[in-house]
Amino acid sequence: MLIYGLLAALATRLAKKLGSTLNSFVMAGWNLVIGLFMGGDLSIITWTLLELRY
């Protein structure tokens, strides 16, 4: 938990620094890509034509 706290603090500082210069859509896209490479899964989302269900 100590390592997590340290990494979360570092990530927050990095996001603040990059957030002032980078577009928010670009940051969200990179967050999605990195999360997928770290084991994320999009199969829990049901994609339909008119709505998005969880």
Side-chain angles (χ1 to χ4, degrees), residues 1-41:
M1 286 178 48
L2 185 62
I3 293 171
Y4 168 76
L6 179 64
L7 290 176
L10 290 173
T12 301
R13 289 186 52 90
L14 181 63
K16 256 185 146 176
K17 187 175 182 180
L18 288 176
S20 63
T21 60
L22 207 59
N23 188 347
S24 60
F25 288 109
V26 173
M27 283 182 45
W30 277 111
N31 189 6
L32 179 64
V33 169
I34 291 170
L36 287 174
F37 279 120
M38 293 179 71
D41 188 15

